[in-house]
Amino acid sequence: AIVEKLQEEQLGFPSVGVNQTNTRFNPQIKIAGFRAKESMEATIIRWMQNICSLQKSFPITFNNYSGFPSGSIHVRIMEHEPFHQLTKELTVVDEYIKSSGFPQMRMVSKPHMTIASKLSQTVYEKAMLDFSQKSFFESFLAKELVLIKRKNAFEKGKTINVFGLMPSANQ
């Protein structure tokens, strides 16, 4: 339901609709990115399963819009601590990746949900003006972590595994 609301919001702003080929709504909250060989996949999945089986589900609250001057608009997330806890636990996976000769994981310090990216400077400035005058406030309970694989930055991601989080006390 939140994704549908965000899609409606995105389509409701003419500045973003100016160049639909440069807008991309990818309803996910990235917490880390890394490179690894396909032969490492099973081990990474086992480690991530262990990590997620000990993590409790947590609420995610979106609060208004923001942007990055590189040309992307996103919905802000109010509470970052649950994400920081997950990335802290992922350090064991990071160590495995580094020990295999790959660069360290890129952890996201300010989790967010991008609603438009690769906007030209002009469109970005118009969109930021539009979105800064609009409010958005929604919450949901995060119950899973998804491992997505892609061969390069331009390829659409493929879901490799979905890791359930432990139910929280108020579920």
Side-chain angles (χ1 to χ4, degrees), residues 41-50 147 160-161 163:
E41 197 171 288
T43 301
I44 291 169
I45 288 171
R46 277 193 307 277
W47 276 105
M48 290 182 75
Q49 183 63 54
N50 290 339
L147 178 60
I160 299 300
N161 208 332
F163 308 97

Side-chain angles (χ1 to χ4, degrees), residues 23-83:
T23 61
R24 177 180 65 149
F25 185 66
N26 195 2
Q28 54 184 251
I29 302 166
K30 183 178 179 178
I31 62 168
F34 59 89
R35 291 182 43 213
K37 291 186 277 191
E38 197 161 330
S39 61
M40 298 167 64
E41 197 171 288
T43 301
I44 291 169
I45 288 171
R46 277 193 307 277
W47 276 105
M48 290 182 75
Q49 183 63 54
N50 290 339
I51 291 164
C52 290
S53 69
L54 299 173
Q55 297 293 310
K56 289 186 178 174
S57 299
F58 57 93
I60 295 177
T61 301
F62 295 117
N63 185 24
N64 293 330
Y65 302 95
S66 191
F68 295 119
S70 59
S72 68
I73 309 290
H74 63 267
V75 182
R76 289 188 302 230
I77 294 175
M78 290 183 66
E79 179 58 52
H80 296 171
E81 187 52 38
F83 295 99

Side-chain angles (χ1 to χ4, degrees), residues 15-16 66-74 116-131:
S15 59
V16 175
S66 191
F68 295 119
S70 59
S72 68
I73 309 290
H74 63 267
S117 62
K118 300 179 184 173
L119 301 172
S120 71
Q121 187 64 32
T122 305
V123 172
Y124 169 76
E125 289 171 4
K126 283 179 166 177
M128 281 305 298
L129 182 61
D130 287 345
F131 281 100

